[in-house]
Amino acid sequence: MSEHVVITVDAVGGDLGSGPMLEGTLLALEADPDLEVILCGPAEVVEPFAANHDRVRAQVTTQAIEMGEHPAHAVRRKKDSSIVVGCRLVKEGQAQGFFSPGSTGACLAAATLVMGRIKGVSRPAMATILPSPVKPVVMCDVGANADCKPAYLVQFAQMASIYAEKVIGIESPTCALLNIGEEEAKGSQFAQETHALMKEQLPNFIGNCEGRDLLDCKADVVVTDGFTGNVSLKTIEGVASVLFDSLKKIMKSSPAAMLGALAMKKGLAELKDLTSADTYGGAPMLGVKGACLVGHGSSNATAVKNGILMTAKCVRLDVSGLIAQAVKKPAADE
């Protein structure tokens, strides 16, 4: 890596406090010698850390947005919160990207209202890598837009395809629409209209994808509205968590099972890494000016490190610039 990048980091947004944020920031700095971090948070958290670590600047903030607050109201009311200040530093050009494991809604609101939408983007959308052991599958939207128009999903597909190709490294990614059947005539009126529009406007569109096929999908990018995408993602994460917990109990149930678990330890660890949300560290907010990634509220140090590094990667690859080139005009009326 050779391009110097400055990333603002929300030091207090996660559920686990500042500990994992500081540890993850240090790990990211160690992994990327051309990375600089502006740490946003209370003075007692950010100033001692910045004083003891090179390439870290402290940005003292006096407010914090809690998970339960109304996102847009909190962003407008708490202008000195770590999330709002982090996004403002990107808008002002002091940094190129922002990472937070805080309130998803607040991050979306701050990225949209403070950093600003890319011209021509109707609605910014969140993309994520599904926790699949088969291959990386990008899903978009996963929570930013609960109510959508068909044209929005066309833009989601354009933006997510750029992310899949440039950041994840999927060559010539294909795109599918999440639906209740593979046939064109299946689904709601919204789904049918979206299918027709995507078929007409997207050269990489290959048709519908069913929920059962998400983790072994024929497509590289799966597009849906934010409500459906969020429910699907959390269902997959919940099932994976329950299965791993059940597997642990089975492997501790007898001496023979424990011996078998020891023999499978390496393979199980690899499988867990493949299905872990910590691997990529966060979901990018596509369609805003600059890079903005939102991590899980329960992000550990590894997830924070990977989230910061992924934010820097999006900056270096100019994902927002590529999206701006791809989206020439609004996909739908505001």
Side-chain angles (χ1 to χ4, degrees):
M1 298 179 183
S2 58
E3 185 181 346
H4 180 75
V5 172
V6 181
I7 302 298
T8 54
V9 175
D10 176 8
V12 292
D15 297 335
L16 304 180
S18 60
M21 298 305 302
L22 299 181
E23 184 181 351
T25 296
L26 182 58
L27 292 173
L29 291 166
E30 291 173 349
D32 185 348
D34 294 303
L35 173 68
E36 182 180 341
V37 168
I38 301 177
L39 208 56
C40 302
E44 64 270 19
V45 173
V46 300
E47 288 184 336
F49 187 84
N52 290 313
H53 296 91
D54 294 335
R55 294 182 284 129
V56 179
R57 290 157 50 194
Q59 179 66 51
V60 175
T61 59
T62 59
Q63 297 174 305
I65 296 177
E66 305 298 332
M67 291 291 186
E69 294 187 75
H70 186 284
H73 293 170
V75 166
R76 290 189 176 97
R77 185 166 49 87
K78 294 185 172 181
K79 297 187 182 299
D80 199 42
S81 62
S82 52
I83 290 176
V84 174
V85 171
C87 288
R88 189 175 70 235
L89 293 175
V90 176
K91 178 181 176 61
E92 293 173 350
Q94 296 188 50
Q96 294 84 49
F98 171 66
F99 172 76
S100 172
S103 164
T104 299
C107 289
L108 171 63
T112 304
L113 297 173
V114 180
M115 291 169 60
R117 284 184 294 171
I118 292 171
K119 185 178 180 180
V121 171
S122 296
R123 295 290 186 276
M126 289 182 66
T128 193
I129 310 300
L130 295 178
S132 170
V134 181
K135 68 169 187 176
V137 177
V138 177
M139 178 180 276
C140 183
D141 184 16
V142 292
N145 303 277
D147 299 302
C148 292
K149 298 178 181 179
Y152 296 171
L153 270 67
V154 173
Q155 283 195 342
F156 297 170
Q158 291 176 316
M159 297 190 296
S161 295
I162 290 171
Y163 178 73
E165 180 175 6
K166 300 302 181 181
V167 179
I168 307 305
I170 303 172
E171 186 175 352
S172 301
T174 55
C175 178
L177 173 67
L178 183 60
N179 206 336
I180 60 172
E182 294 186 356
E183 297 82 2
E184 292 187 25
K186 283 292 182 72
S188 62
Q189 182 178 350
F190 169 75
Q192 293 178 39
E193 291 176 0
T194 302
H195 185 287
L197 201 59
M198 293 178 74
K199 183 178 180 181
E200 175 188 339
Q201 297 188 15
L202 300 175
N204 65 333
F205 181 60
I206 61 172
N208 289 330
C209 168
E210 296 186 68
R212 65 185 178 187
D213 301 319
L214 282 175
L215 297 186
D216 188 16
C217 191
K218 59 185 178 181
D220 302 302
V221 175
V222 176
V223 176
T224 186
D225 62 272
F227 182 90
T228 305
N230 190 270
V231 171
S232 299
L233 175 64
K234 289 181 178 177
T235 300
I236 292 170
E237 291 176 342
V239 169
S241 177
V242 170
L243 286 177
F244 271 108
D245 287 344
S246 299
L247 194 57
K248 285 181 181 178
K249 292 178 182 178
I250 292 172
M251 290 180 170
K252 294 178 180 179
S253 62
S254 68
M258 293 177 68
L259 185 61
L262 184 61
M264 298 173 60
K265 184 177 180 179
K266 182 179 179 181
L268 290 172
E270 292 174 353
L271 178 61
K272 187 174 182 180
D273 287 342
L274 287 171
T275 59
S276 173
D278 298 344
T279 302
Y280 294 96
M285 200 72 68
L286 303 177
V288 296
K289 297 176 181 178
C292 176
L293 266 76
V294 184
H296 276 273
S298 58
S299 293
N300 57 25
T302 298
V304 172
K305 178 196 77 170
N306 290 335
I308 295 172
L309 294 177
M310 186 63 75
T311 308
K313 186 175 183 180
C314 287
V315 170
R316 290 190 173 105
L317 294 172
D318 192 22
V319 172
S320 62
L322 294 171
I323 289 174
Q325 292 175 20
V327 183
K328 300 297 183 182
K329 59 182 179 179
D333 295 334
E334 296 300 323

